[in-house]
Amino acid sequence: MTVNWKRFADQISHYQSFVLVSHVRPDCDALGSELGMAYILRKLGKQVRIINAHRVPPSLQFLDPAGNIEILGEDVEAEDISADCIMILDTSAWVQLGDMADVVRAAPCDKMVLDHHVGEDDLGATMYKDYQAEACGTLVVQAADALGVPLVRPMAVPLFAAIATDTGWFRFGSVNADTYRVIARLVDTGVVPAEVYSDLYERDTLARLKLRGLILSRTESELDGALMHTYVETRDFEAVGALPSDTEDSVNLTLAVENTKAAVIFVGQRMGGFKISFRSRCDLAVNEIAQRFGGGGHKAAAGAFQEGTLSDVKARVLPVVIEELQKVL
């Protein structure tokens, strides 16, 4: 499935005002895609607001130094949100919109989705999706081309971060020659990869470092090391002074163990239950596993949420992962 960019551009031309929305627990691809698209639309003379259900994690605030991203219930109330069109980026699932889902449902305006994830809910929106795209940020670059907006550094920095992080800094199997061509264009605008890397990975807090140590110390293996899994509970955040967003990328660290093919992390949520992140570096399609638990994502990286205690959720999820992994080993 690829994006019909002529149809996309034609639809954009019909609206003067936009609200951009992305998923809860926003990562670089969500935020970078929103910021990049906002820049494009403003260059076309459109009025644009970015409104999310969750605030920007402190570690990613460098992407939005001007504070353009508004938070529902903090900066704006639902009844004050209006636009000709709501554009949803980097997700196609109601549950991923959090409290913004009710806003999207109730809004009488048109809706658009720009996304690269497999599977979708009926969001009452026109879908523009490319499952082969390594990041939503890549699609935003393509949107700029389709709309005739030149790439410049203010939009290129968040888009570079979006693509770099969603590819594991260009380590994942989704990376191809076109990935580097897009990245080269962003670098040509003045993006300095070393600076983006430093902003992302070399400004950890001590609390985040301690949390990662705790997560890694709990890592267990199955299938002779082919599967690694670990967990973090809500009480752990308070114990070390860390934030839930500090778990970002922790599951990928467990893949550093030699001969590991897949990894799972269970992250406790304040409202109960566990967010589950799946990773694969073999033929295991973790998005299919995530879908069995109400989630989704990509073949190599996916997520889901399950209610219950840690022991209940692990007992529910791990046997499925083990069974499916055994089929491809």
Side-chain angles (χ1 to χ4, degrees):
M1 186 175 185
T2 57
V3 174
N4 183 332
W5 288 113
K6 183 179 184 305
R7 183 186 180 195
F8 180 90
D10 287 345
Q11 187 169 0
I12 291 291
S13 69
H14 287 96
Y15 311 124
Q16 183 57 34
S17 60
F18 291 80
V19 167
L20 307 185
V21 184
S22 193
H23 55 76
V24 294
R25 297 179 293 275
D27 57 10
C28 271
D29 198 22
L31 300 171
S33 296
E34 288 179 311
L35 290 163
M37 182 59 70
Y39 187 93
I40 292 168
L41 294 174
R42 287 172 180 143
K43 277 297 179 182
L44 295 174
K46 312 293 185 181
Q47 299 171 13
V48 186
R49 298 176 75 179
I50 304 173
I51 305 174
N52 289 336
H54 288 184
R55 66 183 63 176
V56 178
S59 60
L60 300 182
Q61 286 177 352
F62 76 94
L63 295 173
D64 183 30
N68 286 310
I69 299 174
E70 300 177 82
I71 309 304
L72 181 67
E74 296 182 14
D75 305 307
V76 60
E77 298 301 325
E79 57 269 23
D80 298 322
I81 298 173
S82 64
D84 297 333
C85 179
I86 293 177
M87 185 185 297
I88 302 162
L89 297 113
D90 200 37
T91 185
S92 307
W94 282 119
V95 69
Q96 284 291 308
L97 294 177
D99 290 342
M100 279 299 294
D102 290 337
V103 175
V104 175
R105 283 192 182 96
C109 64
D110 291 344
K111 289 98 177 179
M112 303 171 67
V113 169
L114 185 63
D115 187 23
H116 67 132
H117 293 95
V118 177
E120 66 252 4
D121 295 335
D122 182 3
L123 302 183
T126 305
M127 294 284 182
Y128 297 96
K129 301 188 68 168
D130 184 349
Y131 304 144
Q132 301 303 312
E134 60 277 87
C136 189
T138 301
L139 299 180
V140 176
V141 172
Q142 294 174 8
D145 293 339
L147 294 166
V149 176
L151 299 177
V152 293
R153 192 178 187 279
M155 65 187 289
V157 170
L159 290 173
F160 180 99
I163 299 169
T165 55
D166 242 37
T167 59
W169 209 261
F170 315 109
R171 293 178 294 128
F172 296 164
S174 57
V175 174
N176 55 48
D178 286 336
T179 308
Y180 292 104
R181 293 187 182 100
V182 171
I183 288 298
R185 293 178 60 198
L186 298 175
V187 171
D188 282 343
T189 70
V191 175
V192 180
E195 292 179 357
V196 178
Y197 185 92
S198 178
D199 283 332
L200 285 169
Y201 303 117
E202 296 177 342
R203 296 189 179 183
D204 282 346
T205 62
L206 181 58
R208 186 173 187 175
L209 198 65
K210 288 181 177 180
L211 185 68
R212 284 183 174 177
L214 187 62
I215 292 170
L216 291 176
S217 71
R218 292 170 172 169
T219 304
E220 298 181 45
S221 67
E222 311 286 346
L223 301 177
D224 296 323
L227 172 65
M228 296 289 167
H229 59 91
T230 185
Y231 68 91
V232 58
E233 298 184 90
T234 53
R235 61 188 178 190
D236 296 324
F237 298 120
E238 184 176 351
V240 299
L243 300 171
S245 59
D246 288 329
T247 61
E248 185 72 29
D249 205 45
S250 294
V251 66
N252 293 325
L253 298 177
T254 64
L255 289 171
V257 179
E258 187 176 8
N259 297 322
T260 298
K261 303 301 182 184
V264 182
I265 185 172
F266 301 87
V267 181
Q269 303 297 297
R270 283 183 297 177
M271 300 302 291
F274 285 80
K275 176 192 172 188
I276 311 156
S277 292
F278 305 89
R279 295 292 184 271
S280 170
R281 61 178 185 187
C282 63
D283 290 334
L284 179 68
V286 290
N287 59 317
E288 295 178 4
I289 295 176
Q291 287 169 7
R292 294 170 65 171
F293 297 101
H298 308 286
K299 180 179 179 181
F305 171 81
Q306 287 286 287
E307 296 280 4
T309 65
L310 176 63
S311 58
D312 289 341
V313 174
K314 288 175 70 174
R316 202 179 303 148
V317 174
L318 286 177
V320 175
V321 179
I322 291 170
E323 179 183 2
E324 295 302 316
L325 183 55
Q326 285 176 316
K327 294 178 182 178
V328 300
L329 290 178

